[in-house]
Amino acid sequence: MADRLPSDHEAVETRRVEVASVGRTDRPRIELPADLDVAEGDVIECVLDGEQYHARVETTLDGEPMLQHAADNRRLAREGDGENRLVEWFADSDCAIGGSVHLDVVTAGYTYGLRTPGSRVVYTATDSPDDSLASIADDLGE
């Protein structure tokens, strides 16, 4: 059963994270905390101001986890294909490169939300699928 959790609920851990640029471009990348329960190559649910997408965790040149692409489904996120919803979200926000956004831990290792500071979002919190179900879904290409 899915629960509805507002971003200011005590069960949601909120972290401030930096928005950097991808190389010398104006495309954003979100630098994740090193102690977050994710690893390079993981595909996570990435909720952008309430809209659910998927993103593959990548690493910076220094080996720190980051997000630079969010897609409509797990397959597109895994392949780095499709419209980049993270770029769209950033362009529509009042955030800036070098600034920060809020990262909400909804379900550790599975669902994370990004939102502009001062905004409130209501998340649908679900349990992460077990590894065997997740691998079957990945194989099917969602």
Side-chain angles (χ1 to χ4, degrees):
M1 177 85 183
D3 293 322
R4 303 284 292 160
L5 288 175
S7 54
D8 57 358
H9 190 277
E10 65 185 29
V12 176
E13 177 189 356
T14 299
R15 313 270 296 265
R16 185 175 293 272
V17 294
E18 185 178 338
V19 180
S21 63
V22 176
R24 292 183 181 234
T25 71
D26 60 352
R27 289 180 299 147
R29 77 171 188 221
I30 306 298
E31 298 183 351
L32 302 174
D35 63 349
L36 208 60
D37 188 18
V38 295
E40 182 178 12
D42 286 352
V43 176
I44 61 170
E45 285 188 359
C46 181
V47 182
L48 303 174
D49 276 335
E51 295 294 321
Q52 185 175 336
Y53 301 105
H54 293 83
R56 182 170 46 97
V57 177
E58 300 179 56
T59 56
T60 65
L61 294 175
D62 297 330
E64 298 299 321
M66 69 163 174
L67 302 176
Q68 65 180 6
H69 186 271
D72 292 335
N73 61 48
R74 291 180 62 79
R75 181 187 58 78
L76 291 173
R78 191 173 48 252
E79 296 170 1
D81 207 2
E83 295 294 321
N84 189 341
R85 304 303 183 187
L86 181 63
V87 169
E88 292 175 2
W89 170 76
F90 184 76
D92 291 341
S93 76
D94 58 357
C95 299
I97 300 290
S100 63
V101 296
H102 288 169
L103 171 76
D104 293 326
V105 180
V106 181
T107 304
Y110 186 65
T111 304
Y112 297 90
L114 291 171
R115 59 187 171 86
T116 55
S119 65
R120 183 176 185 265
V121 175
V122 177
Y123 298 106
T124 300
T126 58
D127 293 331
S128 60
D130 67 31
D131 290 336
S132 61
L133 291 177
S135 66
I136 291 169
D138 285 344
D139 291 341
L140 294 175
E142 218 178 18

